[in-house]
Amino acid sequence: MAMTRIYMDWNATAPISAAARDAFLSAFDLTGNGSSVHAEGRRLKSVIEAARRDVAALCDAEPACITFTSGATEAANMVLTPDFRMGRTPLRIGRLYVSAIEHPAVREGGRFQRDRVLELSVTPAGTVDLESLDRALSVHPKEDGIPMVAVMLVNNETGVIQPIAEVAARVKAAGGLLLVDAVQAVGRMPVSISALGADFLILASHKIGGPKGAGALVARGEVLMPRALIHGGGQEKGHRSGTENPAALAGFGAAARGAKDALDGYISDVTALRDRLETGMRSAAPDVLIHGADSARVGNTTFFSLPGLKAETGQIAFDLEGVALSAGSACSSGKVGQSHVLMAMGQDPALGALRISIGPTTTAEEIDRTIDIFARIAGRRRSNSAAA
């Protein structure tokens, strides 16, 4: 009998939760348009606004400061622009400074011209280099406009938590704006936009057990907002036109509510499983490299390398053994290449790395089976090396 497959790629997409599925299907069956004033439209509008409240609560924001999008990539492209308005007053952003380990949706710079996007280095431990940020802000040309800095809260490959409070203090001292990619942080650690000192957060539904195709730009207040990316009927207070997707947003809201309610148990239970996994991996292959292990990390992510094992070879080997994991970020249409995160950390570009990411439905049995599979793959690697 074929053994049940093990899903260990939660950072790419979390399995949809039962609550999110139920909310999605319930809203999917409703007729109408949330912008219509009749009873059917008002009912859908209430679904959207309930989701807005739940998403806001997940990151300690005001519901009025949530702008729904089709996902985090759209939210990033929306906010990454040199053109902002403070109420009715234009505000110009002169440069965008991004850490070298950002997700490509942020690292590409959105609507900024390429020569206005500058990269901040990171430390070997996988955290943004604060000295690099200090140097960049000290020479920022103020005559071109204020600076914007983009640093993710949790890296999607290593799980390393970035020093956002220290980053925020520096950005505010320079009179700039701070964008924080919180996609891999919400539901895995407490997140508060005000406590972080961020001006904007970006979120994705499918990372926390909601449906794909929904995300949000979260603002600290209602006055300062970027120029709209999508123009049309003026939905979302004119910040993002286009008829809302109530089913996806209802699922997003349900997932957000569930993630917030389960956070304390999630942190302790999932971290214990991650530690069990890494202990077993080190026992099976003492030369395994776990990237970012010396830094503060969220409890669900293990990013590792086995010397002599290519990322693509390792990914295929695990897949054939029934384990779904990834070679770094799952944002490049299935391509397996060098990790820009490892390169930024100063690791050998030829070093292949694999990412295991787990969640609240992961079991100890699945962890132990994965350790056994890892041990077999590591053993074959040694046998192949000896034969060569």
Side-chain angles (χ1 to χ4, degrees), residues 8-193:
M8 295 263 177
D9 202 12
W10 287 64
N11 283 8
T13 289
I16 192 164
S17 71
R21 183 188 298 109
D22 290 345
F24 178 94
L25 292 175
S26 179
F28 188 80
D29 286 335
L30 297 177
T31 299
N33 185 311
S35 297
S36 299
V37 298
H38 48 58
E40 288 81 358
R42 294 196 305 273
R43 186 178 182 185
L44 279 170
K45 185 68 172 179
S46 70
V47 169
I48 294 168
E49 294 310 312
R52 200 183 309 276
R53 291 191 295 272
D54 287 332
V55 172
L58 182 61
C59 53
D60 192 28
E62 293 296 326
C65 297
I66 303 293
T67 300
F68 284 128
T69 65
S70 65
T73 294
E74 184 192 326
N77 279 270
M78 175 182 172
V79 73
L80 293 173
T81 174
D83 298 319
F84 274 72
R85 296 192 74 85
M86 181 77 75
R88 296 184 178 181
T89 303
L91 179 67
R92 184 73 178 172
I93 311 298
R95 297 283 191 280
L96 171 65
Y97 303 91
V98 300
S99 84
I101 57 172
E102 295 302 301
H103 188 282
V106 172
R107 198 162 169 242
E108 288 296 313
R111 291 181 277 174
F112 282 89
Q113 295 180 0
R114 289 303 304 169
D115 62 355
R116 297 297 177 104
V117 181
L118 293 90
E119 193 168 87
L120 305 171
S121 62
V122 299
T123 70
T127 57
V128 63
D129 185 344
L130 296 176
E131 292 184 0
S132 174
L133 175 59
D134 288 337
R135 289 192 296 271
L137 293 176
S138 69
V139 297
H140 174 78
K142 297 180 181 179
E143 64 275 10
D144 289 347
I146 67 173
M148 174 184 277
V149 175
V151 178
M152 58 190 0
L153 179 50
V154 171
N155 182 258
N156 52 308
E157 295 192 7
T158 63
V160 170
I161 300 170
Q162 301 301 308
I164 297 299
E166 291 89 338
V167 172
R170 288 163 165 79
V171 174
K172 296 310 163 189
L177 299 180
L178 175 60
L179 167 66
V180 173
D181 173 355
V183 166
Q184 299 288 355
V186 289
R188 296 175 172 89
M189 62 179 287
V191 175
S192 167
I193 187 171

Side-chain angles (χ1 to χ4, degrees), residues 255-281:
R257 186 168 61 251
K260 180 176 173 60
D261 291 345
L263 183 59
D264 290 342
Y266 174 98
I267 292 173
S268 59
D269 295 346
V270 172
T271 301
L273 290 175
R274 192 274 314 272
D275 292 345
R276 178 174 181 149
L277 170 70
E278 293 183 357
T279 297
M281 292 171 65

